[in-house]
Amino acid sequence: MSENLQPNHNSNDELSTGLKVLSFCIPLAGIIIYFTSKKDSPNKAKAACHMALWGFGLGIVINIILTVLGLGAGAMGA
């Protein structure tokens, strides 16, 4: 049983900083990156998915805070 339990490290399988920022600011882009690279680059896909989830979650938290403070879209007359 000489199986290699360590995954192969591929330097191409890392998400660039620019794509991380894009995934965070525009979660839909992160989801697209995830689905387009999940077979070939699983680490890149995972990083894009995590950044998209963080961006989405932070957006919800900011909306809740602004609504509680009365600065949300409903208070602006939109």
Side-chain angles (χ1 to χ4, degrees):
M1 296 189 79
S2 61
E3 292 180 27
N4 187 6
L5 298 177
Q6 298 280 338
N8 294 335
H9 181 70
N10 184 0
S11 62
N12 259 352
D13 197 13
E14 295 178 11
L15 193 63
S16 69
T17 304
L19 287 177
K20 285 181 183 179
V21 171
L22 179 69
S23 297
F24 182 79
C25 293
I26 306 172
L28 181 61
I31 293 168
I32 291 170
I33 293 169
Y34 171 76
F35 282 111
T36 58
S37 63
K38 70 179 181 177
K39 288 185 180 178
D40 299 330
S41 306
N43 292 334
K44 182 186 291 187
K46 185 177 177 182
C49 183
H50 285 168
M51 294 306 291
L53 289 173
W54 276 105
F56 183 73
L58 184 65
I60 289 175
V61 169
I62 288 173
N63 278 323
I64 290 171
I65 291 172
L66 290 177
T67 301
V68 168
L69 294 175
L71 302 173
M76 300 294 221

